[in-house]
Amino acid sequence: MTENRPSGADNITLGNPNVRDGSSKLIFGDNILTCQFLRDYADLEILRHIQPEDLEDVSERYVRLHSTERNSDTVKKVDISKYFPSDPCANPLGLPLYIISLVEHKSRVEYNVIMQVLRYMVYIWEDYEKDMERLFPGISSRKDFRYPPILPIVYYEGTKKWTAPADLADKIFCGELLGKYLPHFRYQLIMLHEFSNEELLARKDEISLAMLINKIQTYEDVSAFSDLPQEQIQHILKNTPENILEIMAEILRALLYRIKLPENTVEDTVAKIKERKMGILFENVQMDFEEEKRKADEAMRIADEATRKADEVQRKADEQLQIYGEIITLLKQGKTDEEIIAHFMQCFSWSEEQAREKASRFLLSS
């Protein structure tokens, strides 16, 4: 049977970050899902009781100033003043007490994320200061002037271990020399694949269902999702707003095309979400797991071979650069070509033939 897919579907691959970024933007662009995410996963007591109406999306104000590759990041202003009416931390000007939630989405490990988050935070604070100065000239010079708290979260959907530094101090060269003056700053890391399907389902809300869908990366993941208790999934969907169902449908559609299911299978499966039949999403999906595993293994073999060849090219380039550097140094010392050949034979345990071959392009007499 010929598979029909939307234009460009064949270009969607397992490692394509654009699919993940698009899903993240759909999820965190919605205040209901973001509210549930912060309540369930942010591990901050002051956010346990927030409601969607307490959130204001201010992403466009900040994210657009960075590269377009970062457009899946979200910035939410969370008004918590009604939950802490007499809180001593309240703004002395009588302004609403709020927290800025900054969610950085990552589908792969990025080692400079700590600086990315810090730049965001500093920009948000500078922008806040400018706003306050427009409203109250000279306010930032007052003793009691404070900046709003920012909760930085890195939401990681990749399967590889997160090995990027979580503390700014770990990115400072010879930071230990600064002692107590070494700056420390951390972000909260939420790793999707640290949560089992059962743990996510136990949260009993739509954000956890969306995260369950986002965990689907292989045919085996489809099977694992199918084994979840249908009644629990159906209970969550019972009162889910239509716009949330649409978001889940779009997320699932992108992921299923990514693992290259036929268009009719994808659309039939997606339709079940809109019909609130998510518990039986994949009941009619027929998959040859052994064949898919064979394809995945072959793809991995090809990728490993490409990496090996690239490493070999780089090794030879590094060797040539080292030889060139050595020859330049020896020529400056007045060494003859024969003395240079002898030097390489001694240093690298090369035969005379090997030494002449490797150095030939740099020595006139060779």
Side-chain angles (χ1 to χ4, degrees), residues 112-332:
N112 207 32
V113 68
I114 189 73
M115 291 303 296
Q116 295 172 6
V117 172
L118 183 59
R119 291 187 193 103
Y120 261 134
M121 295 175 70
V122 170
Y123 182 82
I124 291 170
W125 282 323
E126 288 178 339
D127 185 66
Y128 173 82
E129 180 183 319
K130 291 175 183 176
D131 269 357
M132 290 300 99
E133 282 291 333
R134 281 192 290 269
L135 292 172
F136 311 99
I139 184 64
S140 62
S141 300
R142 283 175 45 171
K143 180 180 179 180
D144 57 356
F145 179 76
R146 297 291 185 273
Y147 296 89
I150 301 175
L151 171 64
I153 297 174
V154 172
Y155 175 61
Y156 175 54
E157 292 182 342
T159 55
K160 292 184 178 179
K161 182 179 178 181
W162 183 266
T163 52
D167 192 320
L168 176 65
D170 294 329
K171 293 291 286 184
I172 307 298
F173 180 66
C174 292
E176 62 276 6
L177 300 178
L178 298 179
K180 66 179 182 180
Y181 302 108
L182 179 65
H184 288 273
F185 152 70
R186 299 182 68 86
Y187 53 83
Q188 181 182 2
L189 178 64
I190 298 176
M191 296 187 287
L192 174 60
H193 287 272
E194 276 202 342
F195 297 94
S196 68
N197 286 359
E198 292 71 24
E199 287 174 322
L200 291 172
L201 192 58
R203 304 295 175 114
K204 301 179 180 179
D205 53 19
E206 288 86 355
I207 182 62
S208 297
L209 282 184
M211 291 167 69
L212 276 167
I213 293 174
N214 253 358
K215 285 187 71 177
I216 298 174
Q217 297 194 24
T218 67
Y219 283 76
E220 286 78 4
D221 294 333
V222 171
S223 180
F225 185 98
S226 300
D227 290 338
L228 292 171
Q230 296 181 22
E231 62 277 7
Q232 288 182 249
I233 297 176
Q234 294 306 115
H235 180 74
I236 296 172
L237 290 176
K238 184 178 179 181
N239 297 312
T240 297
E242 291 292 333
N243 67 301
I244 302 297
L245 291 177
E246 289 288 344
I247 290 173
M248 290 185 183
E250 287 304 314
I251 294 170
L252 182 63
R253 177 180 284 111
L255 295 180
L256 294 183
Y257 275 123
R258 191 198 63 201
I259 60 176
K260 299 190 180 300
L261 288 182
E263 181 182 3
N264 60 336
T265 300
V266 171
E267 297 307 323
D268 287 348
T269 304
V270 168
K272 291 191 178 77
I273 290 185
K274 298 179 181 180
E275 297 167 6
R276 301 178 190 271
K277 297 178 180 178
M278 193 166 170
I280 55 172
L281 275 181
F282 304 109
E283 66 173 355
N284 296 321
V285 176
Q286 302 296 321
M287 294 171 292
D288 186 340
F289 288 99
E290 289 301 320
E291 175 63 13
E292 291 306 319
K293 185 176 185 304
R294 185 195 67 76
K295 290 179 180 178
D297 289 344
E298 177 63 13
M300 182 64 72
R301 185 194 67 77
I302 293 173
D304 288 344
E305 179 64 16
T307 300
R308 187 194 65 76
K309 289 181 178 179
D311 289 344
E312 179 63 18
V313 169
Q314 185 62 51
R315 185 193 66 77
K316 289 181 177 179
D318 291 343
E319 180 184 85
Q320 290 296 317
L321 188 61
Q322 182 183 5
I323 292 172
Y324 178 72
E326 292 259 1
I327 289 176
I328 292 298
T329 300
L330 293 171
L331 288 174
K332 287 182 178 179

